[in-house]
Amino acid sequence: MSSIAGNLLVVAFSNMLTTVVNFIYYPILTRGLGFSAEILGRYQFYFSTVSVLIIFCLLSTNYVFIAETKKHSNEETLWFVNTAILACSVFYICSVLLLSFFIALSSRDILFLVFLGITDIIFLLGNTILRDGKLFGVVAKLTVLKSLANLLIGIGVGFFWRSEETLVLAFGISALLTGVMSIINRFGRSYRLDANFKYFSGLLSDGKSIVFFQTAVLGLGSFTQNLPVFAIGTLFDDQSVGFYSLSVKLLGATIALLSGALGQTFLPYFSKSESDEKRIFEKQSLVSATFFPVFCVASLVSPAIIPLLFGREFLSAVDLFLFMIPQYFLISTITPYTSTFISHKKSHILLILHILNTPIMLSVVFPAKIFGFNLTQTVLCFVIVSVINRFLTMILSFRTAGVSWKASLLQNAFFTACLFGLAIPTKWSYVFLFGNVYSFLLFAENKATIIGIKKQ
């Protein structure tokens, strides 16, 4: 368990540095360099499109490789990363070209999507081989480097060129740089351009359940996660997408700081040790209790902080941010534990959840258009659907791991209700009363765990 804690601390520290860099980056872009909400909105369209397409093109090869119980040789790792980059990149380019037949994409749009996608594929697969070797210290350093490179390139180019092209270049170059460095770090001078499609096809064949179910799960999950971007762009305008994008980036940075380390380290331990898995699940209530105060503080300070950091043009993003906090709280506390579906070869459970969730999320668009919902009301509808889905996911992940879920469900539901209350100013006193009750419940629920940790 000590090795798990050590790796968590290393990755968590790198995520903290990355979060600090991101918090510096966007205020400089908006308040310092004059990047508008419209620019952020157009960039978010590219980023969301890549996020959806890249999952289907990777075919979950990164999960298949890590989930194998055996230790991979250098030759197998080399075959995997070279062949996967080549095959997935070709598949991705074909997907972008196919997409252009269904939606209006200019040659400029296609170029940006291809550049962002291929560079991200190289980064993700480079990161995969480091995680498979449990080289989390290197992962941590390169994560920070990627964020710093993104910041420096974005600011340097943005000083002369204030447009979405700047953001595309900054992200793509930083991803390519750190992806190549990951591969070099893993192999050193022994690296060579050697692909083996027979080995790669065998790997996919052996992990076909993960390839099918996990790709469908992640693909549908990414689509529903990015659906608000596409819906807001259709129902409103680029500026509204920019407001939503800013809220997503701030909350995403918070999740990276809090639970990014959990998500990056749990799968290797879940797939290799059942006892480690159970111990990790038993501490979920402590994880959510630790994260809750952070999201409470974010709710309280956001009305003052967002205009201060990004300018009064982004004041409309405050309401979106407040109502999205409960959703992202649950994402941070529940999503890392869904790796148990992969380690237990039960990705079909998540697939069923996403199949049920996708049409419900899509159905939000129609009443929003028919009844003329404003931006905040539309986003709130998406949030409510997502919250319900997260609770169902939590119950099923605990059942899969063979751990009781009732206490954690009640605690997370309680915290979520408090965060929704904080989004409604007239209910603040009610929420603060809940906060006092929370303090008592926190101690009572986690007393044994806290005492056990102190003894260790």
Side-chain angles (χ1 to χ4, degrees):
M1 196 67 180
S2 59
S3 62
I4 299 175
N7 286 328
L8 283 174
L9 288 174
V10 169
V11 180
F13 181 71
S14 72
N15 287 337
M16 180 185 69
L17 293 178
T18 300
T19 303
V20 171
V21 171
N22 287 334
F23 271 114
I24 294 172
Y25 184 40
Y26 284 97
I28 292 176
L29 289 179
T30 56
R31 200 170 182 86
L33 298 179
F35 279 67
S36 65
E38 288 88 347
I39 293 175
L40 295 184
R42 288 192 291 271
Y43 171 69
Q44 186 62 46
F45 165 76
Y46 292 128
F47 192 81
S48 295
T49 304
V50 169
S51 298
V52 175
L53 289 180
I54 205 169
I55 289 174
F56 292 103
C57 296
L58 280 173
L59 294 175
S60 298
T61 52
N62 47 343
Y63 288 92
V64 173
F65 191 69
I66 292 177
E68 282 200 311
T69 55
K70 70 173 185 177
K71 185 176 181 180
H72 297 106
S73 66
N74 279 344
E75 188 175 42
E76 289 174 328
T77 304
L78 185 70
W79 286 342
F80 165 76
V81 72
N82 285 338
T83 312
I85 288 175
L86 179 59
C88 295
S89 296
V90 172
F91 192 12
Y92 178 82
I93 293 172
C94 294
S95 299
V96 173
L97 295 176
L98 181 62
L99 180 66
S100 65
F101 287 101
F102 295 94
I103 63 174
L105 293 176
S106 66
S107 56
R108 171 176 170 272
D109 295 333
I110 293 174
L111 178 63
F112 288 167
L113 290 174
V114 169
F115 176 67
L116 286 172
I118 292 179
T119 54
D120 203 26
I121 286 172
I122 295 172
F123 169 74
L124 291 172
L125 292 174
N127 186 270
T128 296
I129 60 176
L130 292 179
R131 289 172 58 206
D132 180 69
K134 295 184 179 180
L135 300 173
F136 293 105
V138 181
V139 171
K141 292 176 184 177
L142 292 179
T143 299
V144 176
L145 177 62
K146 181 175 181 288
S147 296
L148 285 172
N150 189 36
L151 180 145
L152 294 175
I153 296 170
I155 293 175
V157 178
F159 188 81
F160 303 97
W161 193 10
R162 294 170 179 81
S163 69
E164 59 271 22
E165 284 90 339
T166 296
L167 304 180
V168 169
L169 285 173
F171 180 89
I173 294 174
S174 60
L176 179 62
L177 173 67
T178 48
V180 171
M181 291 183 68
S182 297
I183 297 171
I184 293 174
N185 191 283
R186 176 64 178 79
F187 297 106
R189 294 183 178 181
S190 65
Y191 176 76
R192 63 188 186 277
L193 293 173
D194 185 10
N196 188 325
F197 286 94
K198 183 178 180 180
Y199 168 77
F200 187 67
S201 61
L203 179 72
L204 296 184
S205 178
D206 292 340
K208 55 182 176 293
S209 62
I210 295 178
V211 170
F212 177 77
F213 289 109
Q214 189 66 12
T215 300
V217 165
L218 293 177
L220 289 174
S222 179
F223 176 73
T224 53
Q225 182 180 346
N226 288 284
L227 181 58
V229 172
F230 304 131
I232 291 170
T234 301
L235 297 174
F236 302 99
D237 52 25
D238 288 338
Q239 185 181 55
S240 298
V241 176
F243 294 147
Y244 179 81
S245 170
L246 180 67
S247 301
V248 168
K249 291 186 186 303
L250 289 175
L251 289 167
T254 304
I255 288 178
L257 174 63
L258 295 175
S259 67
L262 304 182
Q264 293 178 47
T265 55
F266 276 4
L267 178 58
Y269 289 101
F270 284 0
S271 61
K272 305 296 190 290
S273 171
E274 186 176 340
S275 59
D276 282 344
E277 179 184 48
K278 289 189 180 297
R279 284 197 291 268
I280 290 170
F281 265 88
E282 287 166 358
K283 288 184 170 55
Q284 195 280 334
S285 60
L286 187 58
V287 169
S288 62
T290 304
F291 291 177
F292 173 72
V294 177
F295 285 95
C296 278
V297 172
S299 294
L300 292 171
V301 304
S302 59
I305 293 297
I306 289 178
L308 179 65
L309 290 178
F310 303 99
R312 298 195 64 82
E313 177 191 356
F314 290 89
L315 190 61
S316 298
V318 172
D319 288 340
L320 303 184
F321 183 84
L322 289 172
F323 281 112
M324 290 166 64
I325 281 178
Q327 172 190 358
Y328 277 79
F329 164 72
L330 291 177
I331 291 174
S332 68
T333 59
I334 294 172
T335 300
Y337 293 86
T338 60
S339 295
T340 190
F341 295 122
I342 303 174
S343 61
H344 286 272
K345 312 290 186 186
K346 292 185 177 180
S347 296
H348 65 278
I349 296 176
L350 271 179
L351 176 58
I352 293 171
L353 281 172
H354 284 304
I355 289 174
L356 295 173
N357 186 50
T358 301
I360 298 174
M361 290 285 285
L362 283 169
S363 68
V364 170
V365 178
F366 300 106
K369 186 173 184 178
I370 294 171
F371 297 107
F373 288 176
N374 62 30
L375 178 60
T376 302
Q377 292 168 333
T378 302
V379 170
L380 180 58
C381 290
F382 283 120
V383 168
I384 292 172
V385 173
S386 177
V387 165
I388 294 171
N389 179 263
R390 295 292 167 182
F391 281 131
L392 290 174
T393 303
M394 176 187 172
I395 293 171
L396 292 174
S397 64
F398 270 70
R399 287 174 64 90
T400 300
V403 180
S404 176
W405 52 267
K406 294 180 181 178
S408 290
L409 176 65
L410 289 174
Q411 180 171 295
N412 280 281
F414 170 76
F415 292 152
T416 303
C418 291
L419 293 171
F420 269 121
L422 276 172
I424 307 172
T426 56
K427 302 294 184 181
W428 278 13
S429 58
Y430 170 73
V431 175
F432 288 139
L433 176 62
F434 261 148
N436 292 324
V437 178
Y438 148 74
S439 299
F440 172 77
L441 291 176
L442 172 61
F443 178 78
E445 179 71 25
N446 295 288
K447 183 178 179 181
T449 304
I450 293 170
I451 291 173
I453 292 174
K454 287 182 179 179
K455 287 181 179 180
Q456 291 176 8

